[in-house]
Amino acid sequence: MTEEQTSQDFNTGLLSYLQASPTPFHAAGNLAARLSEAGFRELKEGDSWDLVPGEKYWVMRNGSSLIAFVYGREPLVDTGIRMVGAHTDSPCLKVKPQPDMVRQGYAQLGVEVYGGALLAPWFDRDLSMAGRVSYRDGDGRIRSALVDFEQAVATVPSLAIHLDREANRQRSINPQKEMPPLLLIQDGETELPAFRDRLMAQLQTQHPSLTIDKVLDFEISLYDTQPPALIGLQGDFLASARLDNLLSCYVGMQSILEADGRYSSLLVCNDHEEIGSASACGAKGPMLQQFLDRVMPDTEQRLRVLENSLMISADNAHGVHPNFSDRHDECHGPLLNRGPVIKVNANQRYATNSETSALFRDMAERAGVSVQTFVSRADMECGSTIGPITAAEVGVKTLDVGVPTFAMHSIRELAGSRDASDLYRILNAFYHYPHPLSQWA
C-alpha cells in the first residue's frame, strides 16, 4: 500500500469519528466504544482495581474525559510509560440553563460562548444541537443520556450589509445580543414547548427504551451540520469542525490500538482544555495522577517510573496562512502536509525542551516522517495546551506537538490531508520505541 493510500484510509476513519462526535461526551463515548471493540476492558473508578501486566484498560470520568492504558509486559521501572495527551473539547456555543426566548415573534435560544471561539464564522450556518441530558426515570432514579438532534434546527443569521455598512471594515460581535440562534416563527396562538420538553421528546425518539419522568438539567452545545470533508483540487485539505483537538484524540486512539503490549502505553483525552483545564476531569485536575497512583500505589516506584516516562501532548499548531504570513516568525512558519509540528515557547506555554524534542525527532526519523517547528512571534502572545499543565501536575517529561492548522477555533477548521496519518506514524513508533526514555544519547 502506498503512503497516499495509507493516508486516504486513515482519513476515512478520522472523518467518520469527527462526524459522530459533536460534543466531548460523544467524542469520549466513541473512543470508549472503539477501545472496547479492540479488547480494552472498562474500569470503574468506584470499583477496586487489580490490574494485570499484558492487559488493556480504559476508564472514563464525567463522560467526557478518558484514559486508555496498555499494561506492558516489561517492568514499569525499566521502561516507564509512553504517554500521549489530547483534549476532547472545542470552542462552541452552549445553551444556557433557562434558554427560552421570543423576540419579534421568533423563538430563540439563549447561549453563552464556550472557550475562545472565533464567532464570525458561526453566522449563517445550519446548526444542530447535541450533548448530555440528566433526567429522573420512572423509578425516581437520576440518570443521564446523550442526545443529538442531527438535523439542522437552528441558525444565527447575519445582519444585512445595508444595515451595517461598516461590517467589512470594522465590526465587533456582542455574544449576548447577536448570537442567540433562531429556532422557529411563533404564530402567536400556539404556546411554544419549553426547551426541556423538546429535549425530552428528542431523548424519547432516540432512546425509546428509556422511561423519562422529567428532564432535570442538560449540557447542550450547538454545532455545524456540514459534514467533514477532504477538499481542494487535489484533495490536499481536510475541512471540519473540532479538528482542534479531536484530530489528535483519534490519532492517539489509533496509535494505542496498535501498541503490542511490550511497553506500558497510555492515552489521556481530557475535557475543559479550552477553558483552562481546571476541573475534576481536566488536565489541571487529579484524574491522571489518581490513575497513576492506582496503577503504582508505591510512591518510590511511581517516581522511578515517571523518571523513565515521556508525555507527548498532541494539540493542533498554527500553520502559516498565505494571506497573513506576517503573523508568523519568519523562520518558523509550518506548512500544511509537510509533517507534524514541534511547538516551542521560552516561557513554558508549551512544555517542549531540547531533550524531549530530540526524542520526538528521533522517533520521527525512525518512522520516516518530516517534522517542523513552531515558535510565536516575540511580539505576540502564545496560546497553551495540556502539556505544561500535565508536566507540572504529574512531574513527567513532556513536549508539545500538533498538525498545522488554519482557522483554529473557527466553526470549520482546515488541516492538511496527509498530516494526521504522519502524526499517527510517529505516535505508533513512540508506543514501540525500543530505548529507555530517561537515557539521552
Side-chain angles (χ1 to χ4, degrees):
M1 183 178 293
T2 66
E3 184 176 323
E4 182 177 352
Q5 288 172 321
T6 301
S7 178
Q8 290 174 349
D9 290 343
F10 189 87
N11 285 334
T12 298
L14 173 58
L15 293 174
S16 296
Y17 175 69
L18 292 167
Q19 176 72 3
S21 305
T23 73
F25 304 111
H26 292 83
N30 289 326
L31 291 175
R34 182 66 187 91
L35 290 165
S36 294
E37 290 174 6
F40 284 69
R41 292 168 48 197
E42 181 182 6
L43 297 172
K44 298 285 190 181
E45 290 193 292
D47 294 343
S48 177
W49 293 1
D50 184 16
L51 306 189
V52 179
E55 294 293 328
K56 301 177 289 185
Y57 306 94
W58 65 267
V59 63
M60 191 182 296
R61 181 175 289 189
N62 187 50
S64 61
S65 295
L66 177 141
I67 294 174
F69 182 58
V70 176
Y71 200 155
R73 298 183 299 273
E74 298 285 338
L76 278 169
V77 292
D78 295 336
T79 63
I81 304 175
R82 286 139 176 80
M83 305 184 193
V84 173
H87 64 87
T88 59
D89 60 321
S90 302
C92 64
L93 300 180
K94 300 194 76 170
V95 179
K96 290 182 175 180
Q98 299 180 45
D100 298 295
M101 302 169 57
V102 177
R103 298 192 298 187
Q104 302 299 318
Y106 297 93
Q108 296 180 268
L109 284 178
V111 295
E112 58 181 333
V113 180
Y114 176 89
L118 195 62
L119 290 179
W122 279 81
F123 288 92
D124 308 315
R125 293 278 183 168
D126 299 342
L127 303 176
S128 190
M129 299 183 290
R132 180 172 66 180
V133 180
S134 297
Y135 63 93
R136 184 170 57 232
D137 68 10
D139 297 325
R141 291 172 295 187
I142 297 175
R143 299 185 180 277
S144 294
L146 300 189
V147 68
D148 186 353
F149 283 74
E150 297 181 352
Q151 303 300 314
V153 296
T155 188
V156 184
S158 295
L159 182 64
I161 188 70
H162 314 78
L163 304 178
D164 186 5
R165 293 292 184 180
E166 298 299 308
N168 289 331
R169 285 185 286 273
Q170 54 181 5
R171 185 191 177 196
S172 61
I173 299 173
N174 184 314
Q176 175 70 18
K177 295 172 57 179
E178 299 172 25
M179 297 310 296
L182 275 64
L183 295 180
L184 55 84
I185 298 175
Q186 164 75 303
D187 63 16
E189 298 178 2
T190 306
E191 184 177 351
L192 294 176
F195 184 68
R196 278 176 166 78
D197 294 332
R198 296 183 189 278
L199 287 180
M200 178 182 288
Q202 186 65 24
L203 266 180
Q204 291 174 329
T205 298
Q206 284 193 278
H207 307 282
S209 62
L210 298 182
T211 302
I212 305 172
D213 175 59
K214 183 179 182 179
V215 169
L216 298 173
D217 221 325
F218 55 84
E219 294 170 77
I220 300 294
S221 303
L222 287 104
Y223 71 93
D224 186 7
T225 58
Q226 183 178 7
L230 296 179
I231 66 172
L233 287 175
Q234 301 180 113
D236 287 330
F237 307 110
L238 194 161
S240 176
R242 303 177 297 280
L243 289 179
D244 175 21
N245 188 32
L246 295 191
L247 181 150
S248 299
C249 291
Y250 182 80
V251 170
M253 177 194 70
Q254 288 297 113
S255 301
I256 202 167
L257 288 176
E258 298 293 327
D260 62 11
R262 179 178 180 185
Y263 307 113
S264 291
S265 304
L266 183 146
L267 170 68
V268 56
C269 297
N270 289 115
D271 195 1
H272 300 143
E273 188 273 346
E274 298 291 359
I275 54 172
S277 296
S279 69
C281 61
K284 195 176 287 187
M287 182 179 180
L288 178 57
Q289 183 62 63
Q290 289 174 348
F291 180 87
L292 295 173
D293 290 348
R294 297 183 74 168
V295 174
M296 300 166 287
D298 181 76
T299 301
E300 181 173 348
Q301 181 201 20
R302 186 168 63 252
L303 294 176
R304 292 174 63 194
V305 170
L306 287 172
E307 174 60 22
N308 285 344
S309 301
L310 177 71
M311 162 67 79
I312 298 178
S313 167
D315 199 348
N316 296 21
H318 296 292
V320 59
H321 196 305
N323 300 340
F324 302 94
S325 58
D326 61 326
R327 303 301 176 93
H328 283 257
D329 182 273
E330 58 269 22
C331 296
H332 299 88
L335 301 173
L336 273 59
N337 285 333
R338 298 291 180 86
V341 179
I342 299 172
K343 302 194 287 187
V344 179
N345 181 262
N347 297 303
Q348 282 294 290
R349 299 295 288 168
Y350 304 131
T352 308
N353 62 36
S354 60
E355 291 184 332
T356 58
S357 175
L359 265 175
F360 189 81
R361 291 180 186 277
D362 183 60
M363 288 180 282
E365 285 187 14
R366 292 169 182 269
V369 177
S370 299
V371 296
Q372 308 179 80
T373 306
F374 172 79
V375 179
S376 292
R377 285 177 57 106
D379 55 358
M380 294 179 67
E381 291 187 10
C382 179
S384 192
T385 70
I386 68 168
I389 296 172
T390 303
E393 294 293 329
V394 178
V396 62
K397 291 180 289 292
T398 304
L399 83 155
D400 278 285
V401 305
V403 304
T405 307
F406 294 155
M408 192 179 295
H409 289 197
S410 172
I411 195 171
R412 193 165 179 87
E413 300 165 321
L414 197 71
S417 58
R418 296 190 293 275
D419 287 327
S421 60
D422 279 348
L423 179 59
Y424 159 75
R425 290 165 61 191
I426 299 176
L427 297 187
N428 189 297
F430 173 50
Y431 284 138
H432 295 85
Y433 194 66
H435 300 298
L437 299 175
S438 62
Q439 296 180 9
W440 315 104

